Amino acid sequence: MKIKKFAKRLFSAVLTAAMIFQGTSTYVSASQTTVSIFDNKTYTHSDVFDGMYIYNGIDVSYHNKTIDWNSVKAAGVDYAFIRSGYRGYGSTGKLCTDTKFKENIENAIAAGVKVGVYYFTEAINTDEAIEEALYCIEQIKDYDVTLPIVIDYEYPTDGKSPIGRMYNAKLSKTAATNNCIAFCETVKEAGYTPMIYANKSDFTSLINGAKLGKSYKIWLANYTTKSTYNNTYEFWQYTSSGKVDGITGKVDCNFWYSSSDLGIGTPDDNDNPDDTNSDDNIENGNTNPDNNNVAVDNSNENNNSNNDNNNSSNNNNSNNNNNNNNDNNENNNNDTTNNDNNEIPATDLSSGTIASIANQSYTGSPIKPEPAVTLNGNTLKYKTDYTFTYSNNTNTGVATITVNGIGSYTGTITSTFIIKPKKITGLKAQSAKKAITLSWDGKNGAQGYQIYRKDSYNGAYSKIKTIQNGNTVSFKNSKLATEHEYYYKIRSFAEIDSKKYYSSYTEITAATMNSSKAAITSAKLNLLKEPGTDANVLITVPKNATLEYLGMTYLSDNTNYLHMGYVSGSNKYSGYLLPDATGFKYYKTGRTTTNLNIRKAAGNNKKILTVIPADTPIAIMQTKTSGSTKWYKTKYYNGSKLYSGFVSAKYVK
């Protein structure tokens, strides 16, 4: 069942209500019900949402594991809130990024799912709330986030009782509400739309939902088929047990109430086909796709009434025009002296409309979008009623699209769209003792590049270089600290019609080292997911395993951790060791370029012990020559057995 419905079009099928007529407009005066496509339950919506669209959404985090976002989109998901991160609920309250955030947001956007993000707060004062907001903003600045940034206000539990920093702090309702305000105001100042998430009880007992709803959007969690929450809200999380194709297990599901057709989901046959929420609005800082609408603003009824009157007038005009055309056609058929071929005159396209075209990214080849074309409220058919021609549609800049009438239509309409530079590919880093050289692929339509760097794992990025020449494809960052890991992100830009357009960022991490190093463990070691004393264990590395040293990771408080890579069979891990970790010895490292035999002794005719998979780091413990071939002595642990032998240096990079 299509859940995205305009209420006034549903009364005959799913509404149990009396109807009030005002002139030619119709609206429903009581509650509407719909059946969720994700749990097949019937939900009753508050009558404050009568006359609104209902969109289907989900919210996800790393708990939902790997998600097939194309399947999710095909299943009917219009939008998703993705957890960007959380503050640890231990005493230190470390800021953390959701381990699936980057994967989820990039794949969701690529699949055409509109996204917002949420941050799980454990802030115990307004300074920490602001810190969380800034952390979240930094994470999303590279992405097309068009829905709100949300502070998730709830207590974690130990399975039975609430726990965590906020719970232990015993914040007053006023203090907790002020934390939400501080978060939201910080988000608003950054040009995004803020929102608060909580359940019905917490909006009443922990924070002042009624007050917050007067200034900010509200996302209500209330697992019932008919919510009795009486304050303002725009999103309703109605279950945590939904089933959506592309997601393993249960998932949180939400309704979003909007007074506008936002051009997402599967519209009814009578829905407006144009999506007026164009990328141009987003480029200009309008990150709220429905920024003029408040969820429960009763003035929408007047707006809908006016729209209905206008639509009625347009339909009457259309009918009159059709009647006039029929009269003209009949006259033409009866008067063959004026039209020997009895042809119906072609309709002029010049008053038609081309749907807005999102900004395109440079590809090096002609870009040919095919937007919808409408005339007098009717959607025309491509290659039946019109064709497209293009100009200036290869290089970065302003491209032109022309609609040419064919068949029963004549004339042309033109529109333009922007081709912006594409995201940088092939970004590499070459390390030296006190410098890191970045290089990347050219041919991306750029006029220049911006390079940002942060010096600590949990620090903030700062712009360190603007390159004004699009043909430049490298940058050397000198005078760096030795044995220090740095984080870079780079984006391309071009100025088009006096406005700069940017690609999304490409990121890379590199450390200042003269040469790479590997270590063989002499005892079991716990590899941490993140640098920090309260971080979770990623994997326990067994004795005699090989670790690849990736650099020294620093936190903003100047504490440091060893960044290590570990390969076990087909699984690859990147984690951290405490700075005082012992139980290993460093060697020069290499990496296998193919599946490589490890032999009992140096020589092609020596016994093969096992095969080391391609792209596995190895410790080079000794170099030996047999005939004209150089061999490396190494150890390889496959997860169950340790092998000590030699590999051909020819296949080690």
Side-chain angles (χ1 to χ4, degrees):
M1 176 179 177
K2 298 177 182 177
I3 295 298
K4 175 185 170 289
K5 301 283 187 181
F6 199 31
K8 68 178 188 291
R9 298 177 187 145
L10 288 174
F11 66 94
S12 62
V14 296
L15 301 180
T16 308
M19 291 170 34
I20 299 173
F21 295 85
Q22 293 182 341
T24 58
S25 109
T26 304
Y27 69 93
V28 181
S29 64
S31 301
Q32 71 176 84
T33 61
T34 58
V35 178
S36 168
I37 58 175
F38 301 137
D39 68 0
N40 293 320
K41 293 182 180 180
T42 299
Y43 290 87
T44 301
H45 307 280
S46 171
D47 57 11
V48 298
F49 301 120
D50 291 346
M52 289 191 175
Y53 292 87
I54 304 175
Y55 298 97
N56 289 305
I58 58 175
D59 55 277
V60 298
S61 69
Y62 83 95
H63 293 290
N64 299 102
K65 302 178 182 178
T66 299
I67 296 174
D68 180 348
W69 282 98
N70 288 323
S71 295
V72 167
K73 175 66 174 177
V77 171
D78 300 321
Y79 65 94
F81 283 104
I82 296 169
R83 189 173 79 161
S84 62
Y86 57 96
R87 184 187 288 274
Y89 55 77
S91 58
T92 57
K94 185 181 67 173
L95 299 180
C96 303
T97 300
D98 188 290
T99 55
K100 285 286 188 179
F101 168 68
K102 181 178 174 66
E103 175 185 322
N104 278 334
I105 194 168
E106 291 182 352
N107 292 340
I109 291 173
V113 176
K114 289 184 179 290
V115 297
V117 299
Y118 70 95
Y119 198 89
F120 191 98
T121 183
E122 277 288 320
I124 58 176
N125 53 53
T126 55
D127 287 342
E128 288 190 349
I130 292 170
E131 182 185 29
E132 290 176 351
L134 293 174
Y135 188 85
C136 189
I137 291 165
E138 175 65 26
Q139 289 176 285
I140 68 169
K141 62 192 296 186
D142 301 342
Y143 302 109
D144 188 11
V145 176
T146 58
L147 298 184
I149 299 176
V150 184
I151 179 171
D152 179 353
Y153 202 97
E154 57 183 304
Y155 291 153
T157 70
D158 60 4
K160 296 180 180 179
S161 305
I163 59 174
R165 301 173 80 244
M166 289 196 310
Y167 176 74
N168 294 333
K170 305 300 180 185
L171 299 177
S172 68
K173 187 174 181 178
T174 298
T177 300
N178 287 340
N179 285 351
C180 293
I181 293 172
F183 182 98
C184 289
E185 286 300 306
T186 304
V187 168
K188 186 186 294 185
E189 289 174 6
Y192 296 93
T193 300
M195 186 161 69
I196 303 99
Y197 167 95
N199 63 39
K200 177 184 174 183
S201 174
D202 290 350
F203 268 130
T204 303
S205 59
L206 299 184
I207 55 179
N208 192 334
K211 176 181 178 180
L212 292 169
K214 294 178 181 179
S215 301
Y216 312 108
K217 292 180 181 292
I218 297 295
W219 178 8
L220 172 69
N222 195 191
Y223 298 163
T224 176
T225 56
K226 182 179 180 181
S227 177
T228 56
Y229 184 68
N230 293 322
N231 296 316
T232 299
Y233 62 97
E234 185 170 334
F235 293 81
W236 175 18
Q237 185 187 80
Y238 58 87
T239 185
S240 61
S241 302
K243 295 290 291 181
V244 178
D245 290 347
I247 299 178
T248 302
K250 299 176 181 179
V251 64
D252 297 342
C253 297
N254 305 269
F255 294 128
W256 173 18
Y257 304 99
S258 174
S259 59
S260 295
D261 180 354
L262 303 176
I264 61 177
T266 306
D268 293 337
D269 293 339
N270 295 326
D271 284 348
N272 183 351
D274 293 334
D275 180 359
T276 57
N277 180 31
S278 70
D279 279 354
D280 290 337
N281 291 333
I282 298 169
E283 288 281 346
N284 291 327
N286 180 9
T287 57
N288 180 3
D290 193 16
N291 62 351
N292 292 323
N293 297 317
V294 179
V296 293
D297 186 350
N298 291 328
S299 64
N300 287 330
E301 293 183 355
N302 295 331
N303 292 336
N304 292 335
S305 176
N306 292 336
N307 289 337
D308 289 339
N309 288 333
N310 291 334
N311 291 336
S312 177
S313 298
N314 291 335
N315 289 336
N316 288 338
N317 291 336
S318 178
N319 290 336
N320 290 337
N321 289 334
N322 289 336
N323 290 336
N324 290 335
N325 287 337
N326 290 335
D327 291 341
N328 290 335
N329 293 339
E330 184 176 354
N331 290 336
N332 288 335
N333 290 334
N334 291 333
D335 187 2
T336 58
T337 60
N338 292 332
N339 190 346
D340 292 337
N341 296 322
N342 294 327
E343 293 180 352
I344 300 174
T347 302
D348 189 0
L349 275 178
S350 59
S351 60
T353 301
I354 303 174
S356 60
I357 303 172
N359 294 335
Q360 307 291 304
S361 292
Y362 174 88
T363 64
S365 301
I367 297 175
K368 299 180 178 181
E370 297 179 358
V373 178
T374 57
L375 180 64
N376 295 329
N378 298 315
T379 301
L380 306 186
K381 292 183 178 180
Y382 178 46
K383 293 185 178 179
T384 298
D385 302 324
Y386 62 90
T387 59
F388 292 117
T389 55
Y390 308 86
S391 60
N392 301 319
N393 62 320
T394 300
N395 297 322
T396 302
V398 180
T400 299
I401 180 171
T402 301
V403 177
N404 309 284
I406 59 174
S408 299
Y409 295 88
T410 188
T412 61
I413 328 167
T414 61
S415 184
T416 60
F417 60 93
I418 297 295
I419 301 177
K420 65 179 185 178
K422 74 174 183 179
K423 181 178 180 179
I424 288 171
T425 57
L427 181 60
K428 299 177 182 178
Q430 182 177 353
S431 299
K433 185 176 182 179
K434 292 187 177 182
I436 295 173
T437 300
L438 303 177
S439 62
W440 56 91
D441 296 339
K443 297 181 180 180
N444 45 44
Q447 295 175 359
Y449 306 93
Q450 289 182 340
I451 301 174
Y452 293 76
R453 188 190 77 206
K454 66 176 182 177
D455 300 348
S456 61
Y457 180 86
N458 58 343
Y461 281 100
S462 297
K463 185 166 64 176
I464 61 171
K465 182 69 175 179
T466 298
I467 298 173
Q468 299 290 356
N469 186 347
N471 294 321
T472 300
V473 291
S474 66
F475 167 70
K476 184 176 182 179
N477 191 194
S478 304
K479 299 180 180 180
L480 300 176
T482 304
E483 293 283 321
H484 194 301
E485 193 169 57
Y486 293 92
Y487 311 85
Y488 296 91
K489 63 180 184 179
I490 179 172
R491 64 179 178 178
S492 57
F493 70 83
E495 186 170 313
I496 304 170
D497 280 354
S498 301
K499 178 182 176 182
K500 279 189 176 178
Y501 289 82
Y502 300 92
S503 71
S504 56
Y505 288 101
T506 301
E507 298 180 3
I508 196 169
T509 300
T512 48
M513 296 188 295
N514 273 337
S515 61
S516 56
K517 294 189 292 186
I520 296 179
T521 62
S522 57
K524 290 182 178 179
L525 293 173
N526 288 330
L527 201 61
L528 304 177
K529 285 185 177 181
E530 297 172 331
T533 55
D534 58 350
N536 294 326
V537 174
L538 175 64
I539 189 173
T540 298
V541 180
K543 181 180 177 180
N544 293 315
T546 299
L547 294 173
E548 182 181 20
Y549 175 64
L550 302 176
M552 189 70 74
T553 298
Y554 286 82
L555 299 181
S556 56
D557 62 4
N558 213 36
T559 56
N560 59 305
Y561 292 79
L562 302 173
H563 190 185
M564 293 290 192
Y566 173 55
V567 176
S568 177
S570 60
N571 298 315
K572 298 181 180 180
Y573 303 92
S574 175
Y576 302 86
L577 295 176
L578 296 171
D580 57 354
T582 58
F584 55 83
K585 181 180 179 181
Y586 283 120
Y587 298 90
K588 184 178 180 181
T589 189
R591 187 174 289 270
T592 59
T593 60
T594 185
N595 291 344
L596 185 57
N597 296 327
I598 180 170
R599 298 176 181 271
K600 187 172 183 179
N604 289 325
N605 60 345
K606 303 301 180 181
K607 180 181 178 180
I608 297 174
L609 301 177
T610 190
V611 176
I612 304 176
D615 199 34
T616 298
I618 63 168
I620 301 174
M621 306 172 68
Q622 179 185 346
T623 300
K624 189 173 182 179
T625 301
S626 176
S628 60
T629 303
K630 184 165 66 173
W631 296 82
Y632 292 142
K633 183 179 181 180
T634 190
K635 291 183 178 181
Y636 172 64
Y637 182 76
N638 68 355
S640 60
K641 186 176 180 180
L642 175 67
Y643 298 91
S644 180
F646 289 82
V647 295
S648 172
K650 180 180 178 181
Y651 302 105
V652 177
K653 183 178 180 181

